[in-house]
Amino acid sequence: LPVMQQTAFVLLKMEGLTQKEAATILNITEKALESLLQRANKSLRKKLEKFYHMKVFGVVTKKCSRITTQLFPLNIKNTF
């Protein structure tokens, strides 16, 4: 992931900061933060689906889709 997407993801998903706290640290608006997270989630979802397809299942299964959707929901606002 690009540095800003990675940092936003880590601050929110791993460090447990609020959107407001993360936006302040990154010196961006909360709206810009949401955009970064949506792009990060989309990119990570694609990478995970590709990984599971090639390494584990042979095809992307419904289970894989459920896992990636739970980890990286499409609607960021509902996750916080």
PDB file of all heavy atoms in Angstrom, residues 10-49:
ATOM      1  N   VAL A  10      -3.217   1.405   9.621  1.00  0.00           N
ATOM      2  CA  VAL A  10      -2.584   0.986  10.874  1.00  0.00           C
ATOM      3  C   VAL A  10      -3.121   1.798  12.050  1.00  0.00           C
ATOM      4  O   VAL A  10      -3.445   1.249  13.109  1.00  0.00           O
ATOM      5  CB  VAL A  10      -1.044   1.104  10.783  1.00  0.00           C
ATOM      6  CG1 VAL A  10      -0.395   0.957  12.150  1.00  0.00           C
ATOM      7  CG2 VAL A  10      -0.495   0.048   9.821  1.00  0.00           C
ATOM      8  N   LEU A  11      -3.235   3.110  11.877  1.00  0.00           N
ATOM      9  CA  LEU A  11      -3.726   3.952  12.970  1.00  0.00           C
ATOM     10  C   LEU A  11      -5.129   3.547  13.411  1.00  0.00           C
ATOM     11  O   LEU A  11      -5.418   3.501  14.611  1.00  0.00           O
ATOM     12  CB  LEU A  11      -3.711   5.430  12.560  1.00  0.00           C
ATOM     13  CG  LEU A  11      -2.336   6.079  12.439  1.00  0.00           C
ATOM     14  CD1 LEU A  11      -2.465   7.486  11.870  1.00  0.00           C
ATOM     15  CD2 LEU A  11      -1.612   6.099  13.774  1.00  0.00           C
ATOM     16  N   LEU A  12      -5.993   3.246  12.456  1.00  0.00           N
ATOM     17  CA  LEU A  12      -7.377   2.925  12.799  1.00  0.00           C
ATOM     18  C   LEU A  12      -7.585   1.458  13.155  1.00  0.00           C
ATOM     19  O   LEU A  12      -8.184   1.146  14.183  1.00  0.00           O
ATOM     20  CB  LEU A  12      -8.303   3.319  11.657  1.00  0.00           C
ATOM     21  CG  LEU A  12      -8.497   4.823  11.556  1.00  0.00           C
ATOM     22  CD1 LEU A  12      -8.968   5.212  10.174  1.00  0.00           C
ATOM     23  CD2 LEU A  12      -9.467   5.297  12.589  1.00  0.00           C
ATOM     24  N   LYS A  13      -7.105   0.574  12.327  1.00  0.00           N
ATOM     25  CA  LYS A  13      -7.396  -0.849  12.505  1.00  0.00           C
ATOM     26  C   LYS A  13      -6.505  -1.520  13.539  1.00  0.00           C
ATOM     27  O   LYS A  13      -6.938  -2.431  14.227  1.00  0.00           O
ATOM     28  CB  LYS A  13      -7.269  -1.602  11.173  1.00  0.00           C
ATOM     29  CG  LYS A  13      -8.194  -1.131  10.088  1.00  0.00           C
ATOM     30  CD  LYS A  13      -9.595  -1.600  10.335  1.00  0.00           C
ATOM     31  CE  LYS A  13     -10.465  -1.266   9.128  1.00  0.00           C
ATOM     32  NZ  LYS A  13     -11.786  -1.830   9.236  1.00  0.00           N
ATOM     33  N   MET A  14      -5.265  -1.084  13.640  1.00  0.00           N
ATOM     34  CA  MET A  14      -4.337  -1.765  14.540  1.00  0.00           C
ATOM     35  C   MET A  14      -4.097  -0.991  15.836  1.00  0.00           C
ATOM     36  O   MET A  14      -3.981  -1.595  16.890  1.00  0.00           O
ATOM     37  CB  MET A  14      -3.029  -2.035  13.812  1.00  0.00           C
ATOM     38  CG  MET A  14      -3.243  -2.906  12.579  1.00  0.00           C
ATOM     39  SD  MET A  14      -1.761  -3.218  11.658  1.00  0.00           S
ATOM     40  CE  MET A  14      -1.155  -4.638  12.527  1.00  0.00           C
ATOM     41  N   GLU A  15      -4.017   0.319  15.741  1.00  0.00           N
ATOM     42  CA  GLU A  15      -3.769   1.136  16.931  1.00  0.00           C
ATOM     43  C   GLU A  15      -5.061   1.531  17.641  1.00  0.00           C
ATOM     44  O   GLU A  15      -5.028   1.971  18.782  1.00  0.00           O
ATOM     45  CB  GLU A  15      -2.970   2.388  16.564  1.00  0.00           C
ATOM     46  CG  GLU A  15      -1.594   2.090  16.002  1.00  0.00           C
ATOM     47  CD  GLU A  15      -0.668   1.426  17.013  1.00  0.00           C
ATOM     48  OE1 GLU A  15      -0.800   1.700  18.217  1.00  0.00           O
ATOM     49  OE2 GLU A  15       0.186   0.626  16.583  1.00  0.00           O
ATOM     50  N   GLY A  16      -6.186   1.421  16.948  1.00  0.00           N
ATOM     51  CA  GLY A  16      -7.481   1.688  17.564  1.00  0.00           C
ATOM     52  C   GLY A  16      -7.829   3.156  17.738  1.00  0.00           C
ATOM     53  O   GLY A  16      -8.684   3.497  18.558  1.00  0.00           O
ATOM     54  N   LEU A  17      -7.193   4.028  16.978  1.00  0.00           N
ATOM     55  CA  LEU A  17      -7.509   5.447  17.071  1.00  0.00           C
ATOM     56  C   LEU A  17      -8.860   5.738  16.425  1.00  0.00           C
ATOM     57  O   LEU A  17      -9.327   4.971  15.576  1.00  0.00           O
ATOM     58  CB  LEU A  17      -6.435   6.291  16.372  1.00  0.00           C
ATOM     59  CG  LEU A  17      -5.223   6.702  17.192  1.00  0.00           C
ATOM     60  CD1 LEU A  17      -4.446   5.497  17.670  1.00  0.00           C
ATOM     61  CD2 LEU A  17      -4.334   7.621  16.408  1.00  0.00           C
ATOM     62  N   THR A  18      -9.459   6.842  16.813  1.00  0.00           N
ATOM     63  CA  THR A  18     -10.692   7.282  16.162  1.00  0.00           C
ATOM     64  C   THR A  18     -10.325   7.937  14.833  1.00  0.00           C
ATOM     65  O   THR A  18      -9.162   8.293  14.604  1.00  0.00           O
ATOM     66  CB  THR A  18     -11.450   8.305  17.025  1.00  0.00           C
ATOM     67  OG1 THR A  18     -10.651   9.491  17.134  1.00  0.00           O
ATOM     68  CG2 THR A  18     -11.774   7.747  18.402  1.00  0.00           C
ATOM     69  N   GLN A  19     -11.338   8.131  13.986  1.00  0.00           N
ATOM     70  CA  GLN A  19     -11.091   8.817  12.721  1.00  0.00           C
ATOM     71  C   GLN A  19     -10.571  10.224  12.967  1.00  0.00           C
ATOM     72  O   GLN A  19      -9.665  10.679  12.273  1.00  0.00           O
ATOM     73  CB  GLN A  19     -12.363   8.856  11.879  1.00  0.00           C
ATOM     74  CG  GLN A  19     -12.685   7.543  11.235  1.00  0.00           C
ATOM     75  CD  GLN A  19     -13.797   7.665  10.205  1.00  0.00           C
ATOM     76  OE1 GLN A  19     -14.250   8.748   9.860  1.00  0.00           O
ATOM     77  NE2 GLN A  19     -14.254   6.536   9.705  1.00  0.00           N
ATOM     78  N   LYS A  20     -11.128  10.895  13.945  1.00  0.00           N
ATOM     79  CA  LYS A  20     -10.700  12.266  14.240  1.00  0.00           C
ATOM     80  C   LYS A  20      -9.235  12.299  14.674  1.00  0.00           C
ATOM     81  O   LYS A  20      -8.463  13.147  14.216  1.00  0.00           O
ATOM     82  CB  LYS A  20     -11.586  12.862  15.329  1.00  0.00           C
ATOM     83  CG  LYS A  20     -11.326  14.322  15.601  1.00  0.00           C
ATOM     84  CD  LYS A  20     -12.334  14.893  16.574  1.00  0.00           C
ATOM     85  CE  LYS A  20     -12.096  16.386  16.733  1.00  0.00           C
ATOM     86  NZ  LYS A  20     -13.134  17.026  17.516  1.00  0.00           N
ATOM     87  N   GLU A  21      -8.841  11.365  15.550  1.00  0.00           N
ATOM     88  CA  GLU A  21      -7.453  11.313  16.022  1.00  0.00           C
ATOM     89  C   GLU A  21      -6.489  11.015  14.867  1.00  0.00           C
ATOM     90  O   GLU A  21      -5.454  11.667  14.727  1.00  0.00           O
ATOM     91  CB  GLU A  21      -7.298  10.237  17.101  1.00  0.00           C
ATOM     92  CG  GLU A  21      -7.996  10.555  18.397  1.00  0.00           C
ATOM     93  CD  GLU A  21      -8.068   9.364  19.341  1.00  0.00           C
ATOM     94  OE1 GLU A  21      -8.113   8.203  18.873  1.00  0.00           O
ATOM     95  OE2 GLU A  21      -8.084   9.607  20.567  1.00  0.00           O
ATOM     96  N   ALA A  22      -6.841  10.038  14.045  1.00  0.00           N
ATOM     97  CA  ALA A  22      -5.982   9.662  12.923  1.00  0.00           C
ATOM     98  C   ALA A  22      -5.868  10.802  11.913  1.00  0.00           C
ATOM     99  O   ALA A  22      -4.776  11.082  11.403  1.00  0.00           O
ATOM    100  CB  ALA A  22      -6.511   8.404  12.250  1.00  0.00           C
ATOM    101  N   ALA A  23      -6.978  11.451  11.630  1.00  0.00           N
ATOM    102  CA  ALA A  23      -6.964  12.576  10.685  1.00  0.00           C
ATOM    103  C   ALA A  23      -6.067  13.700  11.205  1.00  0.00           C
ATOM    104  O   ALA A  23      -5.315  14.307  10.429  1.00  0.00           O
ATOM    105  CB  ALA A  23      -8.378  13.085  10.444  1.00  0.00           C
ATOM    106  N   THR A  24      -6.120  13.949  12.496  1.00  0.00           N
ATOM    107  CA  THR A  24      -5.284  14.995  13.089  1.00  0.00           C
ATOM    108  C   THR A  24      -3.804  14.629  12.957  1.00  0.00           C
ATOM    109  O   THR A  24      -2.984  15.471  12.574  1.00  0.00           O
ATOM    110  CB  THR A  24      -5.650  15.196  14.580  1.00  0.00           C
ATOM    111  OG1 THR A  24      -7.013  15.599  14.659  1.00  0.00           O
ATOM    112  CG2 THR A  24      -4.775  16.243  15.224  1.00  0.00           C
ATOM    113  N   ILE A  25      -3.463  13.392  13.250  1.00  0.00           N
ATOM    114  CA  ILE A  25      -2.072  12.942  13.144  1.00  0.00           C
ATOM    115  C   ILE A  25      -1.572  13.075  11.706  1.00  0.00           C
ATOM    116  O   ILE A  25      -0.442  13.505  11.468  1.00  0.00           O
ATOM    117  CB  ILE A  25      -1.929  11.486  13.633  1.00  0.00           C
ATOM    118  CG1 ILE A  25      -2.092  11.447  15.157  1.00  0.00           C
ATOM    119  CG2 ILE A  25      -0.593  10.878  13.209  1.00  0.00           C
ATOM    120  CD1 ILE A  25      -2.211  10.051  15.729  1.00  0.00           C
ATOM    121  N   LEU A  26      -2.416  12.697  10.750  1.00  0.00           N
ATOM    122  CA  LEU A  26      -2.033  12.749   9.338  1.00  0.00           C
ATOM    123  C   LEU A  26      -2.190  14.142   8.728  1.00  0.00           C
ATOM    124  O   LEU A  26      -1.821  14.362   7.576  1.00  0.00           O
ATOM    125  CB  LEU A  26      -2.861  11.736   8.543  1.00  0.00           C
ATOM    126  CG  LEU A  26      -2.603  10.270   8.890  1.00  0.00           C
ATOM    127  CD1 LEU A  26      -3.617   9.377   8.190  1.00  0.00           C
ATOM    128  CD2 LEU A  26      -1.188   9.872   8.518  1.00  0.00           C
ATOM    129  N   ASN A  27      -2.765  15.058   9.508  1.00  0.00           N
ATOM    130  CA  ASN A  27      -2.985  16.431   9.055  1.00  0.00           C
ATOM    131  C   ASN A  27      -3.864  16.484   7.799  1.00  0.00           C
ATOM    132  O   ASN A  27      -3.561  17.172   6.823  1.00  0.00           O
ATOM    133  CB  ASN A  27      -1.653  17.145   8.824  1.00  0.00           C
ATOM    134  CG  ASN A  27      -1.811  18.651   8.792  1.00  0.00           C
ATOM    135  OD1 ASN A  27      -2.705  19.199   9.438  1.00  0.00           O
ATOM    136  ND2 ASN A  27      -0.964  19.320   8.032  1.00  0.00           N
ATOM    137  N   ILE A  28      -4.943  15.700   7.838  1.00  0.00           N
ATOM    138  CA  ILE A  28      -5.917  15.674   6.748  1.00  0.00           C
ATOM    139  C   ILE A  28      -7.317  15.735   7.357  1.00  0.00           C
ATOM    140  O   ILE A  28      -7.491  15.571   8.555  1.00  0.00           O
ATOM    141  CB  ILE A  28      -5.774  14.402   5.870  1.00  0.00           C
ATOM    142  CG1 ILE A  28      -5.965  13.132   6.715  1.00  0.00           C
ATOM    143  CG2 ILE A  28      -4.440  14.392   5.148  1.00  0.00           C
ATOM    144  CD1 ILE A  28      -5.943  11.836   5.912  1.00  0.00           C
ATOM    145  N   THR A  29      -8.318  15.940   6.513  1.00  0.00           N
ATOM    146  CA  THR A  29      -9.698  15.952   6.998  1.00  0.00           C
ATOM    147  C   THR A  29     -10.176  14.514   7.227  1.00  0.00           C
ATOM    148  O   THR A  29      -9.593  13.563   6.698  1.00  0.00           O
ATOM    149  CB  THR A  29     -10.641  16.621   5.979  1.00  0.00           C
ATOM    150  OG1 THR A  29     -10.674  15.821   4.791  1.00  0.00           O
ATOM    151  CG2 THR A  29     -10.198  18.047   5.655  1.00  0.00           C
ATOM    152  N   GLU A  30     -11.245  14.386   8.002  1.00  0.00           N
ATOM    153  CA  GLU A  30     -11.815  13.058   8.213  1.00  0.00           C
ATOM    154  C   GLU A  30     -12.335  12.476   6.900  1.00  0.00           C
ATOM    155  O   GLU A  30     -12.269  11.267   6.681  1.00  0.00           O
ATOM    156  CB  GLU A  30     -12.926  13.113   9.264  1.00  0.00           C
ATOM    157  CG  GLU A  30     -12.386  13.334  10.661  1.00  0.00           C
ATOM    158  CD  GLU A  30     -13.456  13.310  11.725  1.00  0.00           C
ATOM    159  OE1 GLU A  30     -14.158  12.284  11.837  1.00  0.00           O
ATOM    160  OE2 GLU A  30     -13.584  14.322  12.434  1.00  0.00           O
ATOM    161  N   LYS A  31     -12.847  13.326   6.040  1.00  0.00           N
ATOM    162  CA  LYS A  31     -13.333  12.874   4.726  1.00  0.00           C
ATOM    163  C   LYS A  31     -12.178  12.304   3.895  1.00  0.00           C
ATOM    164  O   LYS A  31     -12.322  11.260   3.253  1.00  0.00           O
ATOM    165  CB  LYS A  31     -14.006  14.043   3.995  1.00  0.00           C
ATOM    166  CG  LYS A  31     -14.816  13.647   2.811  1.00  0.00           C
ATOM    167  CD  LYS A  31     -16.090  13.006   3.259  1.00  0.00           C
ATOM    168  CE  LYS A  31     -16.994  12.808   2.062  1.00  0.00           C
ATOM    169  NZ  LYS A  31     -18.091  11.923   2.354  1.00  0.00           N
ATOM    170  N   ALA A  32     -11.027  12.980   3.929  1.00  0.00           N
ATOM    171  CA  ALA A  32      -9.853  12.481   3.204  1.00  0.00           C
ATOM    172  C   ALA A  32      -9.380  11.158   3.803  1.00  0.00           C
ATOM    173  O   ALA A  32      -8.951  10.252   3.082  1.00  0.00           O
ATOM    174  CB  ALA A  32      -8.730  13.516   3.239  1.00  0.00           C
ATOM    175  N   LEU A  33      -9.469  11.029   5.107  1.00  0.00           N
ATOM    176  CA  LEU A  33      -9.100   9.787   5.782  1.00  0.00           C
ATOM    177  C   LEU A  33     -10.007   8.642   5.334  1.00  0.00           C
ATOM    178  O   LEU A  33      -9.539   7.544   5.049  1.00  0.00           O
ATOM    179  CB  LEU A  33      -9.177   9.956   7.296  1.00  0.00           C
ATOM    180  CG  LEU A  33      -8.833   8.727   8.119  1.00  0.00           C
ATOM    181  CD1 LEU A  33      -7.358   8.370   7.979  1.00  0.00           C
ATOM    182  CD2 LEU A  33      -9.198   8.936   9.572  1.00  0.00           C
ATOM    183  N   GLU A  34     -11.307   8.909   5.260  1.00  0.00           N
ATOM    184  CA  GLU A  34     -12.253   7.885   4.794  1.00  0.00           C
ATOM    185  C   GLU A  34     -11.895   7.424   3.381  1.00  0.00           C
ATOM    186  O   GLU A  34     -11.946   6.233   3.087  1.00  0.00           O
ATOM    187  CB  GLU A  34     -13.680   8.424   4.819  1.00  0.00           C
ATOM    188  CG  GLU A  34     -14.234   8.612   6.206  1.00  0.00           C
ATOM    189  CD  GLU A  34     -15.622   9.240   6.211  1.00  0.00           C
ATOM    190  OE1 GLU A  34     -16.272   9.282   5.147  1.00  0.00           O
ATOM    191  OE2 GLU A  34     -16.041   9.679   7.283  1.00  0.00           O
ATOM    192  N   SER A  35     -11.511   8.372   2.544  1.00  0.00           N
ATOM    193  CA  SER A  35     -11.130   8.040   1.179  1.00  0.00           C
ATOM    194  C   SER A  35      -9.881   7.153   1.162  1.00  0.00           C
ATOM    195  O   SER A  35      -9.820   6.158   0.431  1.00  0.00           O
ATOM    196  CB  SER A  35     -10.879   9.326   0.387  1.00  0.00           C
ATOM    197  OG  SER A  35     -10.471   9.022  -0.925  1.00  0.00           O
ATOM    198  N   LEU A  36      -8.897   7.494   1.973  1.00  0.00           N
ATOM    199  CA  LEU A  36      -7.685   6.672   2.074  1.00  0.00           C
ATOM    200  C   LEU A  36      -8.026   5.254   2.514  1.00  0.00           C
ATOM    201  O   LEU A  36      -7.510   4.275   1.969  1.00  0.00           O
ATOM    202  CB  LEU A  36      -6.706   7.277   3.082  1.00  0.00           C
ATOM    203  CG  LEU A  36      -5.873   8.462   2.646  1.00  0.00           C
ATOM    204  CD1 LEU A  36      -5.101   9.030   3.834  1.00  0.00           C
ATOM    205  CD2 LEU A  36      -4.917   8.062   1.533  1.00  0.00           C
ATOM    206  N   LEU A  37      -8.890   5.152   3.504  1.00  0.00           N
ATOM    207  CA  LEU A  37      -9.262   3.833   4.023  1.00  0.00           C
ATOM    208  C   LEU A  37     -10.040   3.013   3.001  1.00  0.00           C
ATOM    209  O   LEU A  37      -9.839   1.806   2.891  1.00  0.00           O
ATOM    210  CB  LEU A  37     -10.080   3.975   5.302  1.00  0.00           C
ATOM    211  CG  LEU A  37      -9.273   4.430   6.511  1.00  0.00           C
ATOM    212  CD1 LEU A  37     -10.203   4.736   7.670  1.00  0.00           C
ATOM    213  CD2 LEU A  37      -8.266   3.374   6.899  1.00  0.00           C
ATOM    214  N   GLN A  38     -10.927   3.649   2.275  1.00  0.00           N
ATOM    215  CA  GLN A  38     -11.674   2.927   1.253  1.00  0.00           C
ATOM    216  C   GLN A  38     -10.739   2.366   0.193  1.00  0.00           C
ATOM    217  O   GLN A  38     -10.871   1.219  -0.227  1.00  0.00           O
ATOM    218  CB  GLN A  38     -12.733   3.826   0.621  1.00  0.00           C
ATOM    219  CG  GLN A  38     -13.905   4.088   1.543  1.00  0.00           C
ATOM    220  CD  GLN A  38     -14.900   5.069   0.964  1.00  0.00           C
ATOM    221  OE1 GLN A  38     -14.623   5.760  -0.013  1.00  0.00           O
ATOM    222  NE2 GLN A  38     -16.069   5.157   1.588  1.00  0.00           N
ATOM    223  N   ARG A  39      -9.752   3.180  -0.218  1.00  0.00           N
ATOM    224  CA  ARG A  39      -8.792   2.705  -1.215  1.00  0.00           C
ATOM    225  C   ARG A  39      -7.902   1.602  -0.648  1.00  0.00           C
ATOM    226  O   ARG A  39      -7.608   0.616  -1.329  1.00  0.00           O
ATOM    227  CB  ARG A  39      -7.950   3.862  -1.748  1.00  0.00           C
ATOM    228  CG  ARG A  39      -8.760   4.750  -2.703  1.00  0.00           C
ATOM    229  CD  ARG A  39      -7.928   5.867  -3.262  1.00  0.00           C
ATOM    230  NE  ARG A  39      -7.911   6.920  -2.235  1.00  0.00           N
ATOM    231  CZ  ARG A  39      -6.946   7.802  -2.079  1.00  0.00           C
ATOM    232  NH1 ARG A  39      -5.889   7.786  -2.862  1.00  0.00           N
ATOM    233  NH2 ARG A  39      -7.014   8.722  -1.145  1.00  0.00           N
ATOM    234  N   ALA A  40      -7.487   1.756   0.602  1.00  0.00           N
ATOM    235  CA  ALA A  40      -6.663   0.726   1.243  1.00  0.00           C
ATOM    236  C   ALA A  40      -7.439  -0.579   1.364  1.00  0.00           C
ATOM    237  O   ALA A  40      -6.925  -1.660   1.054  1.00  0.00           O
ATOM    238  CB  ALA A  40      -6.202   1.204   2.621  1.00  0.00           C
ATOM    239  N   ASN A  41      -8.675  -0.498   1.822  1.00  0.00           N
ATOM    240  CA  ASN A  41      -9.511  -1.700   1.970  1.00  0.00           C
ATOM    241  C   ASN A  41      -9.717  -2.400   0.634  1.00  0.00           C
ATOM    242  O   ASN A  41      -9.624  -3.619   0.542  1.00  0.00           O
ATOM    243  CB  ASN A  41     -10.854  -1.343   2.594  1.00  0.00           C
ATOM    244  CG  ASN A  41     -10.746  -1.032   4.068  1.00  0.00           C
ATOM    245  OD1 ASN A  41      -9.751  -1.345   4.709  1.00  0.00           O
ATOM    246  ND2 ASN A  41     -11.762  -0.405   4.613  1.00  0.00           N
ATOM    247  N   LYS A  42      -9.996  -1.624  -0.388  1.00  0.00           N
ATOM    248  CA  LYS A  42     -10.221  -2.199  -1.714  1.00  0.00           C
ATOM    249  C   LYS A  42      -8.959  -2.908  -2.214  1.00  0.00           C
ATOM    250  O   LYS A  42      -9.014  -4.032  -2.699  1.00  0.00           O
ATOM    251  CB  LYS A  42     -10.638  -1.101  -2.694  1.00  0.00           C
ATOM    252  CG  LYS A  42     -10.976  -1.595  -4.075  1.00  0.00           C
ATOM    253  CD  LYS A  42     -11.445  -0.453  -4.959  1.00  0.00           C
ATOM    254  CE  LYS A  42     -11.780  -0.943  -6.352  1.00  0.00           C
ATOM    255  NZ  LYS A  42     -12.198   0.160  -7.227  1.00  0.00           N
ATOM    256  N   SER A  43      -7.829  -2.262  -2.041  1.00  0.00           N
ATOM    257  CA  SER A  43      -6.570  -2.841  -2.485  1.00  0.00           C
ATOM    258  C   SER A  43      -6.220  -4.105  -1.697  1.00  0.00           C
ATOM    259  O   SER A  43      -5.841  -5.125  -2.275  1.00  0.00           O
ATOM    260  CB  SER A  43      -5.450  -1.806  -2.329  1.00  0.00           C
ATOM    261  OG  SER A  43      -4.227  -2.352  -2.727  1.00  0.00           O
ATOM    262  N   LEU A  44      -6.380  -4.043  -0.382  1.00  0.00           N
ATOM    263  CA  LEU A  44      -6.083  -5.215   0.448  1.00  0.00           C
ATOM    264  C   LEU A  44      -7.039  -6.359   0.169  1.00  0.00           C
ATOM    265  O   LEU A  44      -6.637  -7.533   0.157  1.00  0.00           O
ATOM    266  CB  LEU A  44      -6.119  -4.833   1.927  1.00  0.00           C
ATOM    267  CG  LEU A  44      -4.958  -3.966   2.389  1.00  0.00           C
ATOM    268  CD1 LEU A  44      -5.226  -3.423   3.785  1.00  0.00           C
ATOM    269  CD2 LEU A  44      -3.653  -4.735   2.342  1.00  0.00           C
ATOM    270  N   ARG A  45      -8.309  -6.048  -0.068  1.00  0.00           N
ATOM    271  CA  ARG A  45      -9.284  -7.090  -0.391  1.00  0.00           C
ATOM    272  C   ARG A  45      -8.869  -7.816  -1.671  1.00  0.00           C
ATOM    273  O   ARG A  45      -8.874  -9.041  -1.739  1.00  0.00           O
ATOM    274  CB  ARG A  45     -10.678  -6.490  -0.556  1.00  0.00           C
ATOM    275  CG  ARG A  45     -11.752  -7.539  -0.783  1.00  0.00           C
ATOM    276  CD  ARG A  45     -13.144  -6.952  -0.984  1.00  0.00           C
ATOM    277  NE  ARG A  45     -13.588  -6.216   0.177  1.00  0.00           N
ATOM    278  CZ  ARG A  45     -13.701  -4.884   0.234  1.00  0.00           C
ATOM    279  NH1 ARG A  45     -13.401  -4.151  -0.822  1.00  0.00           N
ATOM    280  NH2 ARG A  45     -14.118  -4.293   1.320  1.00  0.00           N
ATOM    281  N   LYS A  46      -8.474  -7.046  -2.688  1.00  0.00           N
ATOM    282  CA  LYS A  46      -8.049  -7.655  -3.950  1.00  0.00           C
ATOM    283  C   LYS A  46      -6.820  -8.529  -3.750  1.00  0.00           C
ATOM    284  O   LYS A  46      -6.735  -9.630  -4.292  1.00  0.00           O
ATOM    285  CB  LYS A  46      -7.752  -6.574  -4.988  1.00  0.00           C
ATOM    286  CG  LYS A  46      -8.978  -5.964  -5.598  1.00  0.00           C
ATOM    287  CD  LYS A  46      -8.600  -4.945  -6.653  1.00  0.00           C
ATOM    288  CE  LYS A  46      -9.826  -4.300  -7.242  1.00  0.00           C
ATOM    289  NZ  LYS A  46      -9.461  -3.302  -8.261  1.00  0.00           N
ATOM    290  N   LYS A  47      -5.872  -8.030  -2.966  1.00  0.00           N
ATOM    291  CA  LYS A  47      -4.646  -8.793  -2.727  1.00  0.00           C
ATOM    292  C   LYS A  47      -4.948 -10.089  -1.973  1.00  0.00           C
ATOM    293  O   LYS A  47      -4.395 -11.137  -2.283  1.00  0.00           O
ATOM    294  CB  LYS A  47      -3.632  -7.957  -1.964  1.00  0.00           C
ATOM    295  CG  LYS A  47      -3.022  -6.848  -2.794  1.00  0.00           C
ATOM    296  CD  LYS A  47      -2.111  -5.967  -1.958  1.00  0.00           C
ATOM    297  CE  LYS A  47      -1.692  -4.736  -2.698  1.00  0.00           C
ATOM    298  NZ  LYS A  47      -0.491  -4.906  -3.476  1.00  0.00           N
ATOM    299  N   LEU A  48      -5.815 -10.013  -0.965  1.00  0.00           N
ATOM    300  CA  LEU A  48      -6.161 -11.217  -0.218  1.00  0.00           C
ATOM    301  C   LEU A  48      -6.916 -12.218  -1.074  1.00  0.00           C
ATOM    302  O   LEU A  48      -6.666 -13.424  -0.998  1.00  0.00           O
ATOM    303  CB  LEU A  48      -6.998 -10.868   1.013  1.00  0.00           C
ATOM    304  CG  LEU A  48      -6.218 -10.447   2.239  1.00  0.00           C
ATOM    305  CD1 LEU A  48      -7.174 -10.039   3.352  1.00  0.00           C
ATOM    306  CD2 LEU A  48      -5.311 -11.555   2.723  1.00  0.00           C
ATOM    307  N   GLU A  49      -7.849 -11.729  -1.871  1.00  0.00           N
ATOM    308  CA  GLU A  49      -8.593 -12.639  -2.737  1.00  0.00           C
ATOM    309  C   GLU A  49      -7.654 -13.309  -3.726  1.00  0.00           C
ATOM    310  O   GLU A  49      -7.761 -14.505  -3.984  1.00  0.00           O
ATOM    311  CB  GLU A  49      -9.718 -11.894  -3.455  1.00  0.00           C
ATOM    312  CG  GLU A  49     -10.867 -11.557  -2.529  1.00  0.00           C
ATOM    313  CD  GLU A  49     -11.954 -10.724  -3.189  1.00  0.00           C
ATOM    314  OE1 GLU A  49     -11.743 -10.208  -4.306  1.00  0.00           O
ATOM    315  OE2 GLU A  49     -13.011 -10.575  -2.562  1.00  0.00           O
TER     316      GLU A  49
END
